[in-house]
Every structure is written in C-alpha cells, then in structure tokens.
Amino acid sequence: MEQDEHGKEEAKRPLAIVGIGASAGGLEAFEQFFKNMPPDAGIAFVLITHMDPAQKGLLPEILRRFTRMPVRETEDGMKVEANTVYVKPAQADLTLFHGTIGHLEPVRTHGLRMPIDSFFRHLADDQDGKAVGIVLSGTGSDGTLGIRAIKERMGMVMVEDPSSAQFSGMPRSAMATGLVDYSAPPEELPELLIQYVKFSATTPTGEKLTTARVEADLRRIFSLIRLRNGQDFSRYKRNTIRRRIERRMALHQIPSIGEYVTFLYENPPEVDTLARELLIGVTRFFRDQKAWVALKEGILKDLIPLRPEGGTIRAWSVGCSTGEEAYSLAIVLRECLDTLKRPDMVQVFATDVDARAIGIARRGTYPANITADVSPERLERFFVKEDNTYLVHKEIRESVVFATQNVLADPPFTHLDIISCRNLLIYLSAELQKQLIPLFQYALNPGGFLFLGTAESVGGFNTLFKTVDARWKIFRRQEGTTPQVPRFEIPAAVVAQPATAEKKAREFAREDEIVTALAREWLLVQYAPPAVIVNEDGDILYFHGRTGKYFEPRPGRATLNIHTMARPGIRDALISLLQAATREREGFVQEAAPARVSDGEQQILITIRPVGQLAGRGGMLYVVVFQNNEKPYRKYPEGGAEERKQSDRAPEGGTVQEIARVRFQIQHTIEDMQASQEELKSMNEELQSTNEELQSMNEELTSSREELQSLNEELLTVNMEHQKKIAELSESNDDMRNLLQITNIAMLFLDGDLRVRRFTTPIRPIVNLQAGDVERPITDLAVNLKEGGFSDDLRGVLRTLQVREREVQTKEGRWFKMQIRPYRTAENRIEGVIVTFIDISQSRDLESSIRRARACAEEVMAAVHEPLLVLDDNHRVVSANRSFYTMFGVTREEAEGNLIYALQDRQWDIPRLHELLEEILPKQGEIEDFLVEHDFPGVGHRVMRFNARALPPDAGPDRILLAVGGSIDRPI
C-alpha cells in the first residue's frame, strides 16, 4: 500500500517547474504556446502576469480553451503537480519552497511591481538547475533580473522572439542580458522545452565520478577554450564545470562529453558561449543588503578615519562581471566620505576576464527593475532615468575604471584600501584559493578590508587577516604582516595523478619483492653497526641503529649537528676525520679514539666514507660508522703510506698516542688555515670586483632614476592633456546632445555592420529603439515603414557612398523625408551611415490642401459665364476659364504660360491694357469698370469692362485676377 502511495507521489512530481512571465500582449502568446504543448509532458507551469489587484482575473477560464491540462488559480500552500497550469492571482505575489506555492502581499518596489522577477528568484532558489524561466510579450523589463538568478543556478531561459511579440519590451530586455538559451516564436517554444526537459531528466545529478576518459575530454574542452579565448578553466572546481558543460549538452541533446567535444570542434561559436557560461557572470546591485550595511559601518569606523585626509580611497572589484558590484562599492565609498565630510577622491578598479561584460559595465546602463535592489534615495542621487533604463551618474562612472584582467595570471593592483571578491573563490579549486588569498594580502595596505561572499573565507590564512564580521565575510589585513606575492603557473590541463594506494600496490605486486625487502631490513638491524649520514657541514640527516651510546643532546637550542651532539673524545676525533674525508672524497678514513661513552671509557673505531651527492644541491654526503675496538689504530686510504708508517712506529701508550693525534690535528689545522687564507684572498678579489660592478650598477640606477623622473613628468603632462581633452570631449558631447534635442530631428547612427551606435528620441515612431538596443543590428529591429527596402538603401549607401533621399510613410500615415548619407570620420574613413527623418506631414497636408483649393477655384472659374484670367507678376497667363477661350477664340495651349499682350498675334497688345496692368493696378491694388476698346479680327469691335484685383500674398505667389465684363457698342 505504501509503495502504491509512493508511486502516485512520484507520478505527480513534475520533471520541471516552468515559470512563464508575460504582460501586454501575453494572452495571444499564451494561446500559441499552450495550443502546441502536449498535456502529458510531465511539466508544471506557473504563469505570472501583470494584473490590477482590484480586478478579478479571467485568465484561467480563457486558458482552458487552449489546453487540456488542468488550469488552477494558485492558493497558499498548494503543492505543484505535473501536467498542470497554475495562474497567479491578481491579489498576491508567489513564492516557491520545496515545490509548494506560497502567497505574499503584492510588493511595489519604488512604484513598480515586478512579480515576474520575484517568482523567478524563488524558482531558482528552490529548483536550482531544474528551474526554467520563459519571458513572453510585454512592456518594460520585468523578468530580466529573474533570469539572471535562474542562470546563476544553472537553470534554462527561453524568450519569445521579439519580432513575433506584440510588445517586445520584456523580450528585448531579456535578450540584452546575453543569458538567453532559446529565442523563438511562442508556438515553437514547447517542442524545444520538452526536448530539453526530457534530456535533462535522464542526466544523473549530484557528485559525478571523473574517469580517465572524462578527464581527457575535459582537458580537450579546456584546451579549445584556451586556444580561442585565452581563458583557462582547468583549475576551477570540477563538479561546477561539469554541471555547466552538461547543461550545454542538454540544450543541444548531446549524450556524452566526447560527442560534445566533437560538437565544439565543428561549431566554434559554441566555444565562446560555453566560455561565457563557465565565467558565471551573474550579479546585481547591493547583493546581500545587510552585508553592504556591515561593510559601510566598517569603512566609516575603521578605514577612512585612519587614512590621511585629502587622499584617494583605492578599491578593487575582482570579477566585476557587468559592473553592478563595482558601482555599488563606489556608491558606498562616496556615501561614507560624504557622511564624514571628507574631500577624498574615490578610485575603484573593476576587472573581469569577460571583455563583453566589461563593455556592458563601461556603458553603465541598467534596466528599470534595478529598483528592486537600489533604494529611492540612491536612485535619485546616483542614477539618471532614461526611458526604461537607469544610467549611472557621471560622478560615479568616472570614479570606476574597468579593465579586462585575469586575476589568476595578470599582476594585481596594489596599495589598495578595499578588495571586493564576492562569489568567485567558491568556483575555484582549493589550490587556487590558497594562491589568491596571499595575493590579496599583498595588494592591500595595512588595515585594508577584504570583502568576500557569504560562502567564502580566508581558509588557513588567519595570520594574514583579522575577521571583522564573520557572518558577512569582512576581513581586515593584519598589521605588521609581510606581504608575499605568490607565483601563478596555470597549466593548460590538469594531469590526473594515480591514487597513492594504487601506486604502492603496484610497487609491491610480486611476492619475491616483499621477501627481499624484509630480508634486507632484518639484516641491517641485526649486523650493521650504528651509523649516521651527515652532509659536509656535519648536519645529521639519518640515524641507523642505537646511536645513543655515542651522542647526547647539548643544553640550549636544539640541533642535529654531529660536532655538537658527539660525546667528548669522539667529538675531537670527528673534526680531523671529517676534514680528511672531505679532502679524499673517494676513499675512507678510520681512527680508534678513546672516548667517554654511556657505559664508561672505551676505544671507539670511527669510520667515515663518502656515499654520494645530495640530489639537486651538489653537496657530498658521508656515512659515519661507530664500532667498539680494544686496539687503537688509524687507517687511511691508499696514498697515505708515510702517515701509516709514522703511525705504526708510534710508541705504545696513551700519552704518546694523544700527542700524535694532536700533532695530526694541528697539521691539518694549519693546512686548513692556509687554504682558508687563499680562499679569503680570492673572495676579497671577487668582492672588490663585485663592489666595482655595484658602483657601476648604482650609476646606471641613478641614471635610470633620472630617466624615470623625466618619464613620470612626461606622463603627468600627457595625463593632464588627456584630462583636458576628456573635459573638452564631455563638453562637446553635451553640446551635441543638446543640439540634437533642440533640432527635434529623428537621427539614427549605424556602424559599418549596420549596428545601432546612437539615436535621437524622435526616431521612435519609425524605429522603436530603447537604450538597451545600442549595438544591436538594425536588421533585427522592426521598422515602421509601409514600403520595404530600408536595409537595401542602407547597404546601397555603404556600397556606393552616394547620398540617398526619398519620401517615406509610416504605417500610421505620417510622412517623412528620409536622407541616408555615409558617416565620415575626421580622417575621411567611412565607418557607417547616418539616417535622418524630417517630418513633412504638415507640408504634405498643405500641398494637398492647395491642390484641393486650386481644383475648387478652377471649378468656380469654369462655372462663371464672364471671361476670367489669372496672371502672374510678369503678366503671363496662369489660367483662364472656358468663357474666355470661347468668347475670344483662344486655346488653352496658346494662352497658358504666355504674356497676355502676345495672345492672338499680339492682338491683346493694347495701350489701355498696359496702362491698367502696369500703372494703375500696382498703385491701387483693385480696379473696377475699367473700359478698354479694341477691334479683334474675327470677333469685331469690342468695348470691354475690366475688373482687376491683386491677390493677397498669403494666397501664394503674386497673382492678378482679371475679369472681362460685357462689351458695349459705343466709343470710350
């Protein structure tokens, strides 16, 4: 029965819990997604949307039309089950703990609700690497920080393709992080999700045994990354590295590491992607808020007050990723200085091996949902709001210097007051951690702070650092400790060493070897006399047998030198014997000496023989053997015959023997003194030569110092010039920005690859650009123009370098005059294009109005029975009505564009008409009933009544309206 219950529980447990976030336009995306999601995939879905808490949500009822899975509105304490869709209620935010949903009061972070970010973070903490986050259509940037948390825990992230989204704000913000695994239309996401989840379900979790084959494959992967990117991951923690590699394998459905290595060889861009994921570049502003509070208290109390006023507080943010940690540190330091009212400067060095992350950090632009981590006061003071993003204030950006650096290989920054290295050490092997901690100690000033992550510590280096806050891992460099820089030798690959036990087992694999070793050991113990092995200085390196009879420890400092430990009598004999052995090198020396040993006075036979050189140092080793002997004698190697004869002729007796021994010692002492004098003379000459060399080096160093001083002055001058140029560039940039804002012209700057470099706000009705779209290809963005060919026009200008102009219309009906011209640098290099859009909608409307008015006027003129003409300021006919053409027998072609005086072979060249148009009308502006008499061929004698009026200037160019009234048959 219990087994049945357990089986039911296992069946209800989902293979993965998928959080889906959407906002505006999300309903259509949900429909497309769930229409293509099978109801038995073994996955649970939690839907997070932006809903007004005051309104009742209808999403569950709507979703039931698109899916056969149960759709439930969540309740507090509800257990998540497979093949079920859960919808967040409008009145609560969601948490997740051990697969159980919890409800929280809706939280507004500085006026913004970020329910998607909130749930994604809970999902990542609870499900770890099994978490999946999906961002669909919506405005704003909710979900961006949440997918960072999911990626940090090695989960998977999917995003709706921005081009298919009804509102692309949220998908674009997520894509801008560079952490998205899949981007596709909603209807294609289910298949990708099922493949990933089912493949991941077959991959075992937990600690994995690293076989020789797997280790070889990992080394090949490390070599590929190092060859392509110059980054070495061979000494990162193996389990972490393997988990991230296996996550990439799951994304591509590759079952073995060997096959993934082949995939890397065939797809070089995957090497770059894998390297970015191994760097674990996930962070946020003021991560662990209480830790920053503790750091700020320590800085205010124990750091800044001890530094000289008016200096620079120097800090180093190690592994800064996209810059949030570095800017947080700079903000805290600035706040501390302001609190203490100190004029000190802040200088933060921020480094990372990921050049792409450093580029993002330098821009200092972050999504609007950083409000979840940054207080309103800090947002107001240290950030500038731009659209849906926040830009770090110029004061803070200028105090942080970003650089690409490998802390494991490159030289460190020095003379620092604070080092922040949070959540980097936990990914490194213990060996690398032991090298980095002394490095940090070397880089810090005495009393400087080391700020680590909550899961990190200084290990066994408590002598180097004092704990300031054990909970939040804040340490302070111990006063008086001597800094030492460790040398890093990062290998290209780690060579697996066989286990010690296995190695010993192979050494004694055969039984005869064991027997031989035991026999040798027994014979040495039973028959070999007591002995010691010493070096040329008399230091004892090895004891054999029971040597306590011949040695005793001396009072005072402990030592193992044979001259100090030897008993009286033996000590005197050893001096001359070792000197003799040192000269002979190849033979042996022997002497029987009376000595007081532990059991009384005895004759001890001392034998000294060279046994070989010490490996790697070149010094000779000697074995000194002690034996009991009643007959005293002295024996030397061949070549010492004379000494042997004298020794043989020596009279018996202890006194004579003692005299002979003393004479021998004196003789050798004299020889040693003479040799020492010769050596001292030689050393004196060498020292004189060395002194001369040192004097020469001192002169060179003095010259080098002067050169360095000169170079330093040049660098200071160059630095001042650079600062001046930076100030000029900043001023020019401000002028340019204000100019672009004043002109209110839509402008778009693209580089040679058609990536967005800069744009002005009026461009958005044509291309809906946001601050995060900088460096994105324009071809990936939707252009709001009715006619296509925009990309072709851009490429055409780059190809021909000819300016292109045309009128374009947006889908809403607005007209713009588009001009595309090459972007030329001061060196006349082409580095992209500039596109301007001038709004001509009003001009187009005016032209249309004029055309309609003119058509209307022409209709009115045509309906009037009285002949009418419109003349320009040169008295040329602009137009005439049908009555004029009929009455005087003139065609439109003969009249329009010609002088009125030239009509009908100059029949209209009438003096009275000249008088009317050239003298009277310019003065009066309006004339009525002006009579003109003339004989027209084919028409006859006419007396015409002219009414003339000069049209007002706001009606257009200078025009004259001339009406020819009915004629009379009498002379004027």
Side-chain angles (χ1 to χ4, degrees), residues 617-639:
R617 299 184 185 178
M620 184 66 73
L621 300 181
Y622 302 92
V623 60
V624 182
V625 182
F626 302 95
Q627 294 174 291
N628 294 333
N629 185 38
E630 297 301 329
K631 182 179 180 181
Y633 70 96
R634 183 187 298 267
K635 186 174 182 181
Y636 294 93
E638 295 181 4

Side-chain angles (χ1 to χ4, degrees), residues 211-273:
T211 63
R213 178 61 181 274
V214 171
E215 184 65 34
D217 289 334
L218 290 175
R219 288 200 301 269
R220 291 164 65 191
I221 292 175
F222 297 149
S223 297
L224 281 173
I225 296 175
R226 186 174 183 180
L227 286 173
R228 186 167 176 86
N229 298 325
Q231 298 163 2
D232 194 328
F233 296 97
S234 61
R235 292 206 287 185
Y236 278 53
K237 287 184 178 177
R238 274 295 186 272
N239 196 47
T240 303
I241 293 293
R242 282 195 62 179
R243 287 180 63 192
R244 294 190 177 272
I245 290 175
E246 287 168 358
R247 205 192 72 83
R248 295 300 306 173
M249 292 165 55
L251 291 173
H252 297 290
Q253 284 84 54
I254 298 175
S256 69
I257 294 183
E259 293 181 46
Y260 184 62
V261 173
T262 304
F263 181 78
L264 289 175
Y265 274 109
E266 296 173 352
N267 299 272
E270 175 68 14
V271 179
D272 300 329
T273 304

Side-chain angles (χ1 to χ4, degrees), residues 112 127 175 193 199 201 225 228 327 487 491 572 693 701 713 749 768 772 812 814 943 961:
L112 297 175
Q127 296 296 302
M175 293 286 291
L193 175 63
F199 186 90
I225 296 175
R228 186 167 176 86
Y327 288 128
R487 293 182 178 271
D572 298 334
E693 292 177 1
L701 288 173
E713 293 174 358
F749 296 80
N768 187 20
E812 292 78 21
R814 295 179 62 182
V943 177
L961 179 63

Side-chain angles (χ1 to χ4, degrees), residues 58 75 176 283 345 388 565 583 659 703 781 839 854 935:
L58 301 176
E75 298 176 0
T283 183
M345 302 292 291
N388 291 324
M565 295 186 66
R583 288 193 299 270
I659 292 173
S703 176
L781 303 173
D839 193 343
R854 182 172 181 177
D935 291 323

Side-chain angles (χ1 to χ4, degrees), residues 301-320:
K301 179 182 177 182
D302 299 323
L303 181 65
I304 295 180
L306 304 180
R307 298 292 186 263
E309 189 169 342
T312 300
I313 305 298
R314 291 164 56 88
W316 181 16
S317 176
V318 184
C320 67

Side-chain angles (χ1 to χ4, degrees), residues 315-332:
W316 181 16
S317 176
V318 184
C320 67
S321 187
T322 49
E324 290 92 332
E325 190 92 17
Y327 288 128
S328 300
L329 185 57
I331 289 171
V332 166

